[in-house]
Amino acid sequence: MRIEPGSTQPSRRRGTQSPAGDPAMLFQRALSCSHNGVVISEVCDGHETIIFVNPAFLNMTGYQSAEVIGKSCAFLQGPLTDQEEIAYIRASLAKGEGCETTLLNYRKDGETFWNHLTITPVPDADGVIRHFVGVQSNVSDIHARDEMIRDIICRQEVIFTLTPDGFATFDEGGYLSYANPAFERMTGCMIGDLYGISVAELEHKINALLRPTTNQLDISNWQGQEQKLAVLEMLIPRQRFIKPYVLNGGSASAAIVLHLRDVTHEHEVDRMKSEFLTTAAHELRTPMASIMGFAELLKLQEFPQDMVQDMLDTIHRQSQRLTSLLNELLDLARIEARRGVDFKCVPVSLVNLINNTIQACPREDYPARIILNDLPDIQVFGDWNKLQQAVMNVIVNALKYSPSGGSIHIRSWIEGDICSIEVKDQGIGMSPAHLERVFERFFRADASGNIPGTGLGMCLVKEIIELHRGSVRVSSALGEGTVVCLTLPVCKLSSVPG
């Protein structure tokens, strides 16, 4: 059998007849029916040229036979073809060796396709390699699928690396096969030390980090269904609350998935809500008890006029306290819910704001005197009523917590684009422990009850000032007084709505 140059078909010698079972005919039909592209090249004087291609190759590349025969396969290459792979092919052919690779090739119309290529050397009777057979297949769909899988794996790896939740997987034998960095941070166990340990060993490691008297991790008896376990209180490497989940991974390498979620913030929010409700109920019940008690006494019997007047004064005072508490609760809830969207912000004169606030303060009820230092003639941009409420709360606190009198100094200054308003008193002051809780709801530095108040004032100040893009700083020493400093951005012409 020989191959006619310029043909896609192997041919018989002229003047001969081939029976139906002739190997040459079978070879011809096999190459014609093959779905893989077949190329036979000849090496002559160090140059390789194509002497045969089958129909599948032409269909794959879009070329005609006459455009291919006599050329090198380099015509399939383009700017994105991997040159390292081309060098590998050339080196293999130069040594008379076969090779296998996948290349990005180009069709006649310029469209790219991924070509899986296997090249086999064909020695002649003398053992000299004069021909190479290349079998090619279009694996673009497979390559695209592999790229998609690699992309999915890469994205999943990024997600599991960056997620704050801890994940650990166990294989079908119950041995740890994977743990992400967050799992390491939560447990304090190095990932390298975790691989290959059993479920029971990991349970033991984690339970050693928990508060002994609380829930313990138990996944050894897991039944294969998704399950939420009891919250764990972890003490090491630091105190936190962890919510564990056990899931079915559905694969041999991830038969069991342990998911740890840090719910410390949610636990703290729930605790604060419970404390808030308990304290609010107590604060509301105290004045209500006085109001109801004295009202019942007045209904049940007659009292001297002076005693009746005292009872009515108490009812009135407790009603005012109750109204004040409810108003501050409603203000706080409204501010937190609306986040300042209903603030009516305008340029506000700092001098007018502080002077009007001082005039509105009930100074006659307290022995301390207010000393107002020179104020800069500037404007801040904000809601007049809310800013006055914040400054009023600070000044009234200074008056209330200065039962022995003394001076309350109010001053203001500008640094760059920031205006600071400072209120300094000579009152009872606060301990470091009290100072840490100054913005907590219902917290009061005076626990005796002799100083009236709801414990919501500084919480409101913080909310209002921060919604005006400012800040609140408090410094204090027990028996030496307190300094509260409010900062607000200075009003610029460009920031004022036109």
Side-chain angles (χ1 to χ4, degrees):
M1 184 187 75
R2 64 187 178 84
I3 299 175
E4 296 285 353
S7 171
T8 61
Q9 304 292 339
S11 65
R12 299 186 301 276
R13 294 183 183 275
R14 291 187 179 90
T16 63
Q17 297 292 329
S18 175
D22 187 343
M25 291 297 293
L26 289 174
F27 176 72
Q28 175 182 336
R29 290 199 300 272
L31 292 179
S32 299
C33 295
S34 174
H35 293 292
N36 292 329
V38 178
V39 177
I40 300 177
S41 60
E42 183 178 43
V43 180
C44 183
D45 297 329
H47 296 287
E48 177 201 355
T49 57
I50 297 174
I51 62 172
F52 169 79
V53 292
N54 73 338
F57 175 86
L58 300 177
N59 183 58
M60 185 188 306
T61 62
Y63 287 93
Q64 298 296 319
S65 177
E67 298 174 297
V68 172
I69 299 300
K71 291 186 177 180
S72 165
C73 281
F75 70 90
L76 294 175
Q77 299 173 24
L80 298 180
T81 303
D82 191 336
Q83 294 304 308
E84 290 186 5
E85 291 298 314
I86 296 298
Y88 159 68
I89 294 172
R90 288 173 179 166
S92 299
L93 298 185
K95 292 186 290 186
E97 299 175 350
C99 60
E100 182 176 0
T101 187
T102 300
L103 291 171
L104 183 67
N105 281 161
Y106 289 75
R107 287 171 46 86
K108 181 180 178 180
D109 59 9
E111 183 182 348
T112 59
F113 68 98
W114 286 95
N115 183 7
H116 183 74
L117 172 63
T118 303
I119 301 176
T120 305
V122 182
D124 61 12
D126 299 325
V128 179
I129 296 175
R130 299 186 186 280
H131 297 88
F132 289 92
V133 176
V135 179
Q136 308 181 52
S137 56
N138 188 338
V139 293
S140 296
D141 290 343
I142 297 174
H143 188 274
R145 185 184 65 220
D146 290 345
E147 282 294 312
M148 182 180 67
I149 292 173
R150 278 193 291 270
D151 183 57
I152 292 172
I153 292 174
C154 181
R155 280 184 289 171
Q156 288 179 339
E157 184 65 27
V158 170
I159 291 171
F160 281 111
T161 299
L162 299 181
T163 181
D165 289 0
F167 286 91
T169 62
F170 299 84
D171 59 25
E172 289 180 322
Y175 294 96
L176 192 136
S177 56
Y178 170 81
N180 71 336
F183 193 91
E184 179 184 272
R185 291 192 297 271
M186 283 186 183
T187 62
C189 302
M190 299 301 293
I191 294 177
D193 298 334
L194 293 176
Y195 287 120
I197 69 173
S198 67
V199 170
E201 289 174 317
L202 185 66
E203 271 184 7
H204 179 73
K205 279 182 174 290
I206 292 179
N207 286 335
L209 309 175
L210 306 179
R211 188 182 294 277
T213 56
T214 58
N215 300 316
Q216 302 289 290
L217 181 65
D218 180 15
I219 55 176
S220 298
N221 300 316
W222 182 59
Q223 300 299 315
Q225 300 296 322
E226 179 178 345
Q227 185 177 358
K228 298 179 182 179
L229 305 179
V231 173
L232 309 176
E233 185 179 356
M234 189 172 286
L235 298 180
I236 304 172
R238 66 177 180 84
Q239 185 177 18
R240 67 175 94 201
F241 292 87
I242 301 295
K243 179 70 175 177
Y245 301 81
V246 187
L247 313 169
N248 189 333
S251 68
S253 61
I256 303 174
V257 179
L258 176 60
H259 173 198
L260 302 182
R261 171 162 290 175
D262 191 332
V263 293
T264 305
H265 176 71
E266 291 87 339
H267 189 275
E268 182 64 16
V269 169
D270 288 342
R271 183 193 65 79
M272 291 176 65
K273 284 181 179 178
S274 297
E275 285 188 1
F276 170 76
L277 291 174
T278 301
T279 309
H282 174 75
E283 292 292 333
L284 290 169
R285 185 171 55 189
T286 301
M288 284 299 298
S290 296
I291 293 170
M292 291 180 63
F294 283 113
E296 287 183 2
L297 284 174
L298 291 172
K299 285 176 61 179
L300 291 174
Q301 66 182 78
E302 296 288 337
F303 291 96
Q305 186 59 37
D306 56 342
M307 291 184 63
V308 170
Q309 188 61 47
D310 285 343
M311 291 181 184
L312 290 175
D313 288 343
T314 300
I315 291 173
H316 182 260
R317 186 169 57 253
Q318 295 295 347
S319 297
Q320 285 183 320
R321 179 183 174 188
L322 188 60
T323 302
S324 177
L325 176 61
L326 290 173
N327 286 338
E328 289 191 338
L329 280 172
L330 290 172
D331 273 348
L332 191 57
R334 187 161 45 244
I335 289 171
E336 287 184 341
R338 301 286 293 166
R339 303 307 302 166
V341 296
D342 52 355
F343 284 7
K344 298 176 181 178
C345 294
V346 295
V348 174
S349 166
L350 180 68
V351 174
N352 291 340
L353 174 69
I354 294 179
N355 283 330
N356 288 358
T357 304
I358 292 173
Q359 291 176 7
C361 286
R363 288 179 289 172
E364 64 279 359
D365 297 337
Y366 304 99
R369 62 192 182 96
I370 297 175
I371 299 176
L372 181 62
N373 298 87
D374 291 338
L375 302 175
D377 187 14
I378 61 163
Q379 291 182 324
V380 293
F381 191 66
D383 185 298
W384 172 279
N385 292 327
K386 294 304 178 186
L387 289 177
Q388 186 178 46
Q389 182 181 7
V391 176
M392 173 81 76
N393 283 355
V394 174
I395 296 176
V396 169
N397 270 356
L399 290 169
K400 288 193 301 185
Y401 287 92
S402 301
S404 300
S407 300
I408 296 172
H409 293 268
I410 302 175
R411 67 188 186 103
S412 180
W413 67 93
I414 301 174
E415 293 181 4
D417 296 333
I418 301 298
C419 167
S420 297
I421 306 168
E422 182 185 87
V423 179
K424 181 179 180 180
D425 66 54
Q426 298 172 321
I428 62 175
M430 289 182 283
S431 67
H434 286 171
L435 191 58
E436 288 183 1
R437 302 181 58 191
V438 71
F439 296 115
E440 284 187 20
R441 298 177 186 183
F442 298 110
F443 172 75
R444 302 179 65 211
D446 173 63
S448 66
N450 295 326
I451 299 176
T454 62
L456 294 172
M458 289 305 293
C459 183
L460 272 167
V461 170
K462 187 173 187 293
E463 290 287 341
I464 291 171
I465 296 300
E466 288 184 351
L467 286 174
H468 281 83
R469 295 177 295 138
S471 64
V472 184
R473 299 192 304 271
V474 182
S475 59
S476 185
L478 198 60
E480 297 180 12
T482 300
V483 180
V484 179
C485 185
L486 313 179
T487 66
L488 291 166
V490 174
C491 181
K492 297 180 180 179
L493 292 178
S494 58
S495 67
V496 181

